Amino acid sequence: MRFIGFIIFFVYVYFEISFFIVVANSIGVFLSLVCIIATSILGFSLVKTQGVKNFSIMKQKIANNQNPKDEIIKSVALLFSGFLLLIPGFLTDILGAVLLIPNVQEHIVRFLVRKMPIKSRFVSSQTFDQNNDIIEGEFKHKDDE
């Protein structure tokens, strides 16, 4: 059971290197390296812009006293996508770019929300209705001896 992680890692590395060799043979090694760096930079900027947009939607939902569960799951998908785009390699860049597509994110959100066993209720502290009940009492401050 311990070795499954190692096996998956080595299979991933094998496919990543094989795919890089295929691309490098067709367009050249230097251009392949430039493409990997460019996709990482482009993907990181896309993750940043989508993350800012998702954060503003989340703030609006919180201000309207709505549940931001979907946006939180999208943020996790964006974080995972950014991590995949940061790892050098064509396969991880392709998978990270696929996770940036909004329709794919919507399907992931629907799938995960359906699988969540917990029903949540969201109450914002900004619009919390406080009662004006006053509780009076007395206290003594005791020093630790």
Side-chain angles (χ1 to χ4, degrees), residues 19-30:
F19 196 67
F20 180 80
I21 290 171
V22 168
V23 172
N25 282 335
S26 59
I27 64 172
V29 175
F30 180 72

Side-chain angles (χ1 to χ4, degrees), residues 10 55 85 104 139:
F10 286 117
F55 184 70
L85 287 168
V104 173
F139 71 94

Side-chain angles (χ1 to χ4, degrees), residues 67 69 112-121:
N67 192 346
K69 179 172 53 173
L112 290 177
V113 168
R114 260 188 287 134
K115 295 293 181 183
M116 288 179 139
I118 301 171
K119 299 288 183 193
S120 63
R121 197 184 112 214

Side-chain angles (χ1 to χ4, degrees), residues 7 9 16 21 24 30 51 69 74 81 84 104 113 119 127-128 131 138 142 144:
I7 291 171
F9 176 74
E16 193 72 66
I21 290 171
F30 180 72
K69 179 172 53 173
K74 283 183 186 179
S81 174
L84 288 174
V104 173
V113 168
K119 299 288 183 193
T127 59
F128 186 73
N131 294 332
E138 295 181 18
K142 292 186 176 181
D144 292 334

